[in-house]
Every structure is written in structure tokens, then in C-alpha cells.
Amino acid sequence: MTDARADRDLLADAARAAGKLVLAFRARGMRDWEKNPGDPVSEADLASDALLKERLQGARPDYGWLSEETADDQSRLERRRSFVIDPIDGTRAFLKNKPEFVISCAVVEAGRPVAAAIYDPSADVMYDAALRQGARKDGASLSISTHDSISGAHLIGDPGRLSDLRALGADAHTVNSAALRLCLLAAGEADAVVAVRPKWDWDLAAGHLLVEEAGGVFTSSKGEAVYYNRTSAVQDPPLAAGPVLHALLLDRLKQTR
């Protein structure tokens, strides 16, 4: 069986290469369009997807594949392990020359992430994790925030949709990339990630492992465990924080639902 650390390192090398590729695309100019209204994609997204698939499945041909930019034939459901990939998470920011985008890569086994790498090309920062091996930022260990009250908590989420929590003394700001939100949480640069809209497997799988390996709790906003590589890749809105704050936020969300 492939060691989770070997998968982590494979993901990190591929994500870094993809990050350099998309920056080169943006520097020279590229086409972009909308897959659906409000859902942009670019030549760089597709090139990143192709690079990642070549490198990752070239190294692990027995792994399944789920990516935002690849048609899902569901053959992944027959594999013991699968890659879960977002070739550019935060395409809208990427197209606007803003820094809030990342390359997000995970390996999932039995529905749970076991290896992860999220590369931030703008800052040249690598976040990675392997199951039971901890989470890292450029090789340094990460620890989740220990903030233990809603009052004074720094939340990442849509401020307009978190008015109940803000009324209790929390503050909230948004970050374009869902995966980057989870990186910032795992790094202790925020106290919680609170989402109110559904996400996709590729938005969450890698960041999920980072949060748990940094000592945090990651569930749906209903408090349910989150599993990946199911028939549907849609996930309920997530809730992630340190253990005490997660329990407080979950209780509050249940009261206001």
C-alpha cells in the first residue's frame, strides 16, 4: 500500500508545477468563458487539469480521478483510492489578477482524505498533510486556533449571511477560494470557516484533511461527518473550527436553522 506521505509529496510536487503553469498562462494572456452563468473557466484551468492528471495518474495509474474540469465517468467509484482535484480553486480571483486562488489536490480512501496538498502560487506557499502525520505550511507544523467563544471569533464566510453570529460579537470576511479558507484556518490565521451554501468534493477534500491534522473539527453545518468520492460530488455547507468553537457554532447554527 502506498504510504500517505508519499502521496502527499506527489501531490505537492504536481500542485507546485501546476501553479507555475497557471501563472505563466495569466502573464501571457488567455481565453476564458463561462461554463454556466457565473461559473468561469479559462485555458489555464484546463491546462492545469491536464498537467495534474498526467503527473498524478502517471504515477498512480490504479487511482480514480475526480476533478472540476474533467467529465466524471464514475469509474473512480470502483477504485480503492482516488484523486480529488481542483486545478484552480478561485478562478474568479485568478482572472481578476487577485491572489485568492490555489491548486487543490487530495487523495481519498474509503470516503475520507488521506493525503493533501494545496499550493498558493501568488504567495509561493505550500500547505500539505498526510493522515496521522500532521498538517504543514512550507514544512512547518500547523495548529488550529484555540479561540473558545463566538465573541471575538474571526470567521471566514459571507458576512451578509452570518449576521446572527456577528450579532454575538464575531467578525467575518470572505475569501474567494474555499480551499484557501481552510488553509488559513488550519494555519491559525482564522478561528472558523462557516459556509451557508453547498460545496463540491474538490472544494473541500484537501482542506478537510489539513484542518483535522492541525487539530480541528470538520463537519457539515448540521454536524454530520463528510465523505467523498460518492456518486454525487455535491456536499452540504461545511463547518470547521477548533473543537470548542466548533461545538459552540454548531449549537448556534442549529438554533437559527
Side-chain angles (χ1 to χ4, degrees):
M1 184 174 92
T2 303
D3 187 278
R5 289 171 296 185
D7 277 349
R8 174 197 66 194
D9 295 344
L10 174 68
L11 294 174
D13 287 345
R16 191 180 299 277
K20 292 178 179 177
L21 178 69
V22 303
L23 289 179
F25 263 89
R26 191 168 70 175
R28 67 174 178 256
M30 65 202 159
R31 290 191 309 117
D32 65 87
W33 59 96
E34 289 192 340
K35 294 181 286 186
N36 298 295
D39 186 13
V41 67
S42 72
E43 290 179 293
D45 292 82
L46 302 184
S48 176
D49 187 62
L51 181 152
L52 291 166
K53 189 167 189 179
E54 179 181 7
R55 289 201 175 203
L56 297 175
Q57 287 208 300
R60 306 280 192 270
D62 55 326
Y63 285 24
W65 182 263
L66 176 65
S67 167
E68 181 175 11
E69 306 304 343
T70 302
D72 180 18
D73 64 7
Q74 306 231 321
S75 62
R76 58 187 171 82
L77 300 175
E78 301 168 5
R79 308 296 180 91
R80 188 174 62 82
R81 284 188 174 182
S82 287
F83 293 111
V84 179
I85 305 296
D86 198 333
I88 302 179
D89 184 50
T91 298
R92 189 172 289 104
F94 172 73
L95 293 174
K96 293 179 179 179
N97 289 315
K98 294 183 177 180
E100 294 177 357
F101 69 93
V102 295
I103 315 299
S104 181
C105 305
V107 171
V108 170
E109 181 177 1
R112 303 289 282 180
V114 296
I118 298 176
Y119 180 58
D120 179 349
S122 302
D124 187 22
V125 170
M126 179 67 69
Y127 301 87
D128 62 15
L131 186 65
R132 292 187 286 277
Q133 302 297 322
R136 309 185 303 181
K137 177 181 179 180
D138 286 340
S141 295
L142 297 181
S143 295
I144 205 85
S145 163
T146 57
H147 188 83
D148 60 0
S149 68
I150 294 177
S151 177
H154 299 291
L155 313 180
I156 302 180
D158 184 343
R161 294 171 179 262
L162 300 178
S163 56
D164 289 339
L165 297 175
R166 291 167 59 217
L168 295 175
D171 68 65
H173 71 282
T174 190
V175 171
N176 187 250
S177 161
L180 182 56
R181 297 171 201 171
L182 295 168
C183 291
L184 297 174
L185 173 62
E189 297 176 36
D191 298 315
V193 169
V194 185
V196 295
R197 286 178 281 197
K199 304 296 180 190
W200 296 88
D201 278 18
W202 47 77
D203 295 322
L204 302 180
H208 178 164
L209 185 63
L210 281 168
V211 168
E212 291 191 337
E213 288 295 319
V217 178
F218 186 106
T219 68
S220 76
S221 60
K222 300 175 184 176
E224 298 167 343
V226 179
Y227 292 93
Y228 303 94
N229 202 37
R230 305 166 304 164
T231 302
S232 171
V234 179
Q235 296 286 353
D236 287 337
L239 173 65
V244 175
L245 183 57
H246 183 280
L248 293 171
L249 289 168
L250 182 59
D251 183 62
R252 185 64 189 177
L253 291 172
K254 287 179 177 177
Q255 290 179 37
T256 57
R257 186 167 287 121

